[in-house]
Amino acid sequence: MSKRHISTTVNGDAAEFLAEPGATLLDALRDELRLTGAKEGCGSGDCGACSVMVDGRLVCACLMLAPEAEGRRIETIEGMAQGGRLHPLQQKFLEHAALQCGFCTPGLLVAAKALLDQNPDPSETEVRYWLAGNLCRCTGYDKVIRAVMDAAADLRQVRRAS
Amino acid sequence: MTDVMDRPALKVVGTRPIRPDGVDKVTGRAQFGADFHLPGMLVGKIKRSPHAHARIVSIDTRKARALAGVKAVITAADLPDLASQEYEAGESASNLRDLSQNCMARDKALYQGHALAAVAAVSAQVADEALDLIEVVYEVLPHVIDVEAAMEPSAPVLHAHLFTEGLAERPATASNIAKVNRLGRGDLEAGFGEADVVVQGRYTTKAVHQGYIEPHACVAQVSQDGQCQVWSSSQGQFMVRTYCAKILGLEIADIRVTPAEIGGGFGGKTTVYLEPLALALSRQSGHPVKMVMTREEVFRATGPTSGAVIEVKLGAKQDGTIVAADVVLKYQAGAFPGSPVGAGSMTALAAYDIPNVAITGYDVVTNSPKVAAYRAPGAPISAFGVESAIDDLARELGMDPIVLREKNGVVSGVKAVYGPTYRDIGYLETLKAIKDHPHYAAPLGPNQGRGVAVGFWFNVGGESTAAVHVNEDGSAVVVTGNPDIGGSRASMAMMAAEVLGLPVEQVRPIVADTASIGFSMLTGGSRTTFATGMAVTQAAGKIVEDVKRRAALIWDTTVDKVAWESGQAVCLDATKSAVKPLTLAAIAAQAGRTGGPISAEVSLNAQGAGPGFAVHLCDVEIDRETGHVTVVRYTAAQDVGRAIHPAYVEGQIQGGVAQGVGWALNEEYIFDADGQMENAGFLDYRVPVASDLPMIDAVLVEVPNPRHPFGAKGVGEAPIVPPLAAVANAVRDALGVRMCDLPLSPPKIRAVVDGLAS
Amino acid sequence: MVHVVLAGADGREFTGGEGAFDVEATSVRRLILALDQRFPGFGDYVERRMAFAIDGVIHQDAYGAELAPDSEVCLIPKIGGG
Ligand code: FES
Ligand code: FES
């Protein structure tokens, strides 16, 4: 089968790649664009390690076909730190030791950012349910949840100040 | 060796700095097994058995080889046919023949998912097509998966050459019971004769998977001169090197293994599945080959740990003194011998000082994937039975469950059931930490129950190498050979920084490939912070001795007149009162004049690891409508010796609890009548998610291990031991009924609730 | 004399079922040699399969470890881990 040419925006820049019709967005990101921050933990939409944003919506890149990315705006973990500065969520994950092996971390960060973008003041329960699609086998989630809550508090302060 | 333990003020050890590899991991830059890429790389895939047990009559690969884009096809015929031979690699002995045949089936497929052939092709699509073109003729055989069914004399026999070890006489017929092991002391019959109260139970657990989120992955390359390179995600690059050499009949010197970041292992990555096959495919094709498992392959062909039957009988006096214990353990080994029943036996009663004991363990092969180590291998299973029975005993005696454990608890000087005499253990301190915790006295709500359970793990030491290099500006690099699974780079850097007197940010830890650092056993058994940490500390200590010598040279004095204080050399020579202390940076700047580069390497075999005890307290709430059990509060105390980086120690405990809760409530391998695993994916094999768990309060008890320079004990394994019983005991408390078969899934709870109602 | 104890049934096929005995040895290496002399094949088995708890401190593969005249050496199966 012949590959198709796809044009997208990835982390703010125009990006083009060739994709088999059956390839997933995750395959395209990882194998064509070499953006390997999004991980494949299951390939079936159950682990969240492949979380990316597409047109502002949180999706599992393993469940979306690469050709469907045509004309869309994609954000990945590689675009989260801005201009040499970590996003507050990234910083809080480090401070709270919210990662052990770090394999789930890119997905968790992308998903957590999606939450805070739409709900700046989530309760612990809201955070836990929002992140229920992101498996982490190492941490027991305790420090992950604390990091997200702490980052939310920081971000609220920044917003108030500006 | 510099002994820093007595120093009153540790500056780095015990603090919570940001881990040195953290930024790469929060920005997506860290390279895990599947992230590696080489030009001209092929995709390797595996053809697997659809049958749980079958004789392989023939494998015809001609059509696959003829397909355009296919560059290599291998079967067991392309690997040496190894004789049965035990070989030590990394941690414990493995049988090389079994290891090889688990990577690639030779005469028989022993479980559904057993590898039969592998291909390398220019794309995943072509590789998949090639797999379909491989023609295998099977003679399907009856299979057996249940452990007790496999022990029956009438059961289908997996290995005609397997005769039960450990019997008084060598048996005449082959059996699925690979080994019987016995442990004990005293006189069981007399012990039960003295008992006022006897409790007993029969408990079962199902096979569960380690569930690391990163599937196995590697890239291998064999060049035309036979030099082999492997990049893979494993718990030990040296283990990968040894096993690849043995399975392929290669020289160790021809193989270089570079560890990728590892996305979780929990014991499951202490062996090889893909690497030898990728090398064989690369050798045949002349191209680098990448192999990545799907999640389904991970479930069907790697891990898990044993499903088991545990029988426990305890006898006690009215005052709570336990006088006799009889434990029988039957563990699934999967397709080849080697379940963790030995460790399960040794740990089962390790927390109790009981005079009359018998523990019998059966290692049983079954038509399921060969079990791999899983965090404190074997211990959670036996602890589930024993700790459930202890809970029943406390109820029977009307005693507080912690008081009962204190009364029978081991202390330093007591002989463990598994043999040695305990030293420097902190078990009673850990029990007290839970007894005194506000959680223990907190009121329970309706439909809630509370459970206590304890756990034990030996922790191990072993062979490690570490190098410390001081850079020209006085900063340092620490090189070790142990993959960093959960933050060990941070603790290595911290221990070196402590000894050198540097801020931890000035110490960069790296995990080196097999050609760049001396041999180290794999990361496992909770050994890295202890053993490799010891090597790091000693190497840093050598640096201190060396720079003192150099300072003496600079000051033109003798080395005994130089002290090392807070990261600088201080001159004690009264005749040189004007000289200022020399920092590491100042000495490093003059390294050329004082003897050349400042570097030290230490290789050792660390002995005397201290065992860890964990005491867990769990509250559950039961939804009587749905049968759903929610863990509403969890407190876990553990003797960790000394926490080097407390946040990562807490993280180990919290992670172990989460895995144990999953084991207790949801996780299980489900096989259909044909021996096919029915739930080989994260949708149906349900590991705990964020909304399943509460915060997990980790309480660190610190009874230092005097045989480690900072007092550290291993921490990673003990926390998975108590949760199975802690949860089950809490459910018992809430329901008033003892449930003995894990997982305590909603249908089982509902059945009990319905039974109570009628 | 060093007092040697076999914790479990492992290895007793070499010792004729005996689980405790006294041996003259000043190091682990000498102990292994002495055990092999007393029970042929046992030294090799111990090296491959067993760890040594010397007065309670577990040693794996430690030829050089010294033994005091009244040391207790408990032979236990080698321990791995996850
Ligand atoms: S890889 Fe996409 S959800 Fe798991
Ligand atoms: S940190 Fe390992 S899976 Fe989350």
Side-chain angles (χ1 to χ4, degrees):
Chain A
M1 255 180 284
S2 62
K3 292 192 177 184
R4 287 180 47 188
H5 178 267
I6 312 294
S7 305
T8 61
T9 310
V10 177
N11 299 326
D13 295 324
E16 299 178 34
F17 55 85
L18 296 175
E20 305 271 352
T24 65
L25 174 59
L26 183 61
D27 295 334
L29 288 171
R30 291 179 53 84
D31 299 337
E32 301 296 323
L33 298 174
R34 299 278 154 77
L35 293 170
T36 55
K39 306 296 178 196
E40 179 161 328
C42 67
S44 56
D46 299 311
C47 78
C50 63
S51 300
V52 296
M53 301 296 285
V54 176
D55 287 347
R57 272 189 45 233
L58 181 65
V59 304
C60 291
C62 71
L63 290 185
M64 182 170 155
L65 290 174
E68 291 180 289
E70 175 65 39
R72 308 231 187 204
R73 193 164 40 83
I74 297 162
E75 292 158 78
T76 72
I77 185 67
E78 285 88 349
M80 198 175 211
Q82 291 291 326
R85 275 186 64 120
L86 294 179
H87 185 276
L89 272 164
Q90 293 172 310
Q91 186 62 33
K92 290 298 174 190
F93 265 56
L94 293 179
E95 287 171 14
H96 285 267
L99 53 144
Q100 284 175 34
C101 77
F103 193 79
C104 65
T105 309
L108 271 168
L109 284 165
V110 169
K113 180 166 180 293
L115 169 65
L116 300 192
D117 284 348
Q118 66 170 63
N119 179 0
D121 192 7
S123 67
E124 181 191 324
T125 308
E126 284 173 318
V127 176
R128 285 189 181 275
Y129 277 91
W130 181 271
L131 295 180
N134 290 82
L135 301 182
C136 173
R137 192 60 157 171
C138 299
T139 63
Y141 305 103
D142 183 299
K143 293 182 191 300
V144 172
I145 305 300
R146 289 178 202 276
V148 174
M149 302 288 287
D150 195 11
D154 262 28
L155 281 164
R156 287 197 298 277
Q157 279 223 321
V158 173
R159 271 193 206 121
R160 234 173 276 139
S162 62
Chain B
M1 185 176 116
T2 319
D3 184 6
V4 202
M5 189 145 96
D6 301 330
R7 290 212 187 151
L10 293 174
K11 293 206 175 75
V12 184
V13 166
T15 65
R16 300 174 179 233
I18 285 178
R19 62 195 274 171
D21 54 323
V23 171
D24 280 355
K25 287 186 173 152
V26 297
T27 54
R29 218 177 287 136
Q31 295 256 306
F32 290 86
D35 299 339
F36 200 74
H37 183 92
L38 287 177
M41 193 167 78
L42 303 175
V43 178
K45 295 212 173 199
I46 295 177
K47 173 104 180 163
R48 297 182 181 279
S49 169
H51 305 294
H53 196 190
R55 190 169 311 287
I56 302 166
V57 178
S58 65
I59 303 181
D60 187 342
T61 60
R62 281 171 298 183
K63 285 185 191 152
R65 280 178 207 279
L67 183 68
V70 172
K71 304 287 183 183
V73 182
I74 57 165
T75 65
D78 296 282
L79 308 177
D81 190 357
L82 299 175
S84 173
Q85 185 200 345
E86 269 178 31
Y87 189 82
E88 274 180 60
E91 263 181 301
S92 50
S94 295
N95 188 305
L96 291 174
R97 180 195 55 206
D98 295 348
L99 189 67
S100 165
Q101 292 190 14
N102 195 39
C103 288
M104 193 65 95
R106 199 160 273 277
D107 307 314
K108 276 190 13 151
L110 294 163
Y111 53 94
Q112 185 224 356
H114 200 164
L116 306 171
V119 303
V122 291
S123 72
Q125 288 80 355
V126 176
D128 281 330
E129 275 176 59
L131 292 184
D132 288 339
L133 292 174
I134 296 174
E135 290 167 2
V136 186
V137 178
Y138 304 94
E139 177 196 340
V140 178
L141 302 169
H143 69 277
V144 62
I145 293 175
D146 177 79
V147 66
E148 286 184 326
M151 293 169 73
E152 292 293 330
S154 58
V157 170
L158 271 73
H159 302 283
H161 58 76
L162 190 64
F163 295 85
T164 309
E165 247 189 75
L167 298 179
E169 277 167 42
R170 185 186 151 93
T173 51
S175 155
N176 293 325
I177 304 173
K179 187 171 176 188
V180 182
N181 64 38
R182 291 198 171 77
L183 202 62
R185 64 185 178 202
D187 180 339
L188 205 59
E189 213 175 308
F192 280 112
E194 278 178 59
D196 301 317
V197 177
V198 172
V199 297
Q200 51 188 325
R202 180 182 183 278
Y203 311 85
T204 66
T205 69
K206 289 287 171 47
V208 297
H209 198 275
Q210 294 79 351
Y212 32 80
I213 310 298
E214 179 201 30
H216 297 260
C218 73
V219 175
Q221 170 177 277
V222 182
S223 53
Q224 280 62 23
D225 61 357
Q227 293 297 302
C228 304
Q229 292 225 60
V230 178
W231 295 261
S232 82
S233 151
S234 80
Q235 287 177 240
Q237 59 270 44
F238 291 93
M239 171 276 298
V240 171
R241 187 180 68 169
T242 310
Y243 283 162
C244 286
K246 290 288 166 187
I247 291 173
L248 296 168
L250 301 171
E251 296 292 332
I252 281 191
D254 291 340
I255 308 175
R256 179 174 178 183
V257 182
T258 304
E261 294 300 329
I262 168 171
F266 315 112
K269 293 178 184 166
T270 57
T271 187
V272 291
Y273 299 100
L274 298 176
E275 291 90 342
L277 306 184
L279 279 171
L281 289 168
S282 177
R283 185 166 58 182
Q284 200 178 89
S285 65
H287 291 268
V289 174
K290 180 175 187 168
M291 299 184 85
V292 182
M293 281 196 196
T294 62
R295 176 57 50 185
E296 187 182 334
E297 287 180 291
V298 171
F299 275 116
R300 291 197 199 280
T302 76
T305 192
S306 316
V309 174
I310 309 110
E311 289 157 1
V312 183
K313 183 177 171 193
L314 300 173
K317 295 216 167 123
Q318 207 57 59
D319 70 353
T321 309
I322 304 175
V323 287
D326 188 6
V327 176
V328 178
L329 304 169
K330 302 165 186 168
Y331 283 27
Q332 283 173 328
F336 299 96
S339 77
V341 73
S345 306
M346 287 159 75
T347 55
L349 294 164
Y352 299 93
D353 185 8
I354 306 173
N356 306 295
V357 177
I359 305 170
T360 311
Y362 297 89
D363 180 28
V364 184
V365 295
T366 52
N367 290 114
S368 46
K370 163 75 173 79
V371 301
Y374 181 18
R375 219 169 185 168
I381 299 169
S382 57
F384 168 58
V386 168
E387 292 300 298
S388 296
I390 293 278
D391 194 68
D392 284 346
L393 181 62
R395 284 172 196 281
E396 193 80 19
L397 292 165
M399 264 177 101
D400 174 281
I402 293 189
V403 173
L404 175 64
R405 287 175 173 89
E406 282 174 337
K407 188 165 178 61
N408 296 283
V410 290
V411 294
S412 295
V414 162
K415 214 165 163 34
V417 172
Y418 68 94
T421 306
Y422 284 120
R423 284 175 47 169
D424 315 299
I425 60 171
Y427 176 44
L428 294 188
E429 290 83 343
T430 312
L431 279 170
K432 185 167 185 308
I434 288 295
K435 201 161 94 177
D436 294 347
H437 195 284
H439 180 177
Y440 198 55
L444 286 166
N447 291 317
Q448 293 189 348
R450 177 165 295 156
V452 177
V454 307
F456 165 90
W457 186 250
F458 315 92
N459 300 322
V460 301
E463 295 170 66
S464 285
T465 303
V468 177
H469 307 299
V470 178
N471 302 318
E472 305 92 290
D473 62 355
S475 60
V477 177
V478 174
V479 188
T480 67
N482 282 107
D484 177 356
I485 313 189
S488 59
R489 278 191 193 86
S491 49
M492 296 305 131
M494 290 170 75
M495 287 185 265
E498 186 73 62
V499 177
L500 296 173
L502 287 175
V504 68
E505 300 75 30
Q506 287 183 27
V507 180
R508 293 307 299 182
I510 67 153
V511 180
D513 67 79
T514 54
S516 307
I517 185 77
F519 179 84
S520 296
M521 287 179 171
L522 52 76
T523 297
S526 296
R527 62 173 292 277
T528 301
T529 300
F530 176 75
T532 308
M534 204 183 266
V536 166
T537 308
Q538 288 187 17
K542 274 181 150 182
I543 297 274
V544 168
E545 292 312 312
D546 185 29
V547 295
K548 277 167 68 181
R549 187 188 55 74
R550 292 168 192 255
L553 211 55
I554 294 168
W555 287 327
D556 187 25
T557 182
T558 51
V559 70
D560 58 305
K561 299 267 169 45
V562 180
W564 187 254
E565 285 168 13
S566 309
Q568 27 184 29
V570 179
C571 188
L572 306 175
D573 187 339
T575 67
K576 319 260 174 189
S577 56
V579 302
K580 290 224 181 65
L582 283 170
T583 60
L584 197 54
I587 298 171
Q590 306 188 49
R593 280 180 226 118
T594 55
I598 306 172
S599 231
E601 181 161 325
V602 167
S603 295
L604 49 72
N605 187 354
Q607 313 294 351
F613 288 88
V615 182
H616 289 193
L617 181 60
C618 170
D619 292 357
V620 300
E621 183 170 317
I622 294 183
D623 182 331
R624 287 175 180 263
E625 294 287 305
T626 62
H628 190 264
V629 177
T630 309
V631 174
V632 292
R633 187 168 180 184
Y634 206 105
T635 306
Q638 189 174 324
D639 172 23
V640 301
R642 167 83 52 84
I644 306 296
H645 191 308
Y648 285 102
V649 173
E650 291 161 5
Q652 286 291 323
I653 293 174
Q654 291 159 342
V657 168
Q659 286 183 316
V661 167
W663 199 335
L665 291 177
N666 295 307
E667 296 179 35
E668 61 178 313
Y669 268 54
I670 303 170
F671 294 96
D672 70 9
D674 295 327
Q676 318 268 328
M677 184 185 180
E678 289 189 306
N679 57 337
F682 278 140
L683 186 61
D684 300 312
Y685 182 98
R686 204 173 169 290
V687 307
V689 302
S691 53
D692 291 335
L693 293 168
M695 290 298 182
I696 297 160
D697 190 358
V699 179
L700 308 186
V701 177
E702 296 191 307
V703 178
N705 175 6
R707 291 170 300 279
H708 183 272
F710 298 106
K713 293 175 180 169
V715 293
E717 320 223 21
I720 202 176
V721 183
L724 285 61
V727 170
N729 291 344
V731 169
R732 159 69 186 80
D733 193 42
L735 281 181
V737 176
R738 168 64 57 192
M739 296 182 66
C740 298
D741 302 308
L742 295 187
L744 304 181
S745 52
K748 288 186 199 158
I749 302 280
R750 279 259 311 276
V752 170
V753 172
D754 291 351
L756 290 173
S758 62
Chain C
M1 293 287 254
V2 172
H3 188 58
V4 179
V5 183
L6 272 175
D10 277 30
R12 292 198 194 208
E13 58 269 37
F14 292 94
T15 66
E18 246 183 286
F21 29 84
D22 291 334
V23 176
E24 200 77 65
T26 53
S27 70
V28 165
R29 181 68 187 129
R30 295 210 170 114
L31 176 68
I32 293 170
L33 295 172
L35 290 175
D36 207 58
Q37 204 152 54
R38 180 132 157 207
F39 309 111
F42 187 45
D44 177 55
Y45 178 87
V46 165
E47 273 196 83
R48 280 188 293 115
R49 296 272 191 98
M50 311 292 263
F52 305 82
I54 305 170
D55 299 318
V57 179
I58 295 183
H59 291 64
Q60 316 218 52
D61 306 308
Y63 274 1
E66 287 178 18
L67 304 175
D70 57 346
S71 279
E72 181 200 78
V73 177
C74 182
L75 301 179
I76 61 175
K78 276 191 184 161
I79 301 150

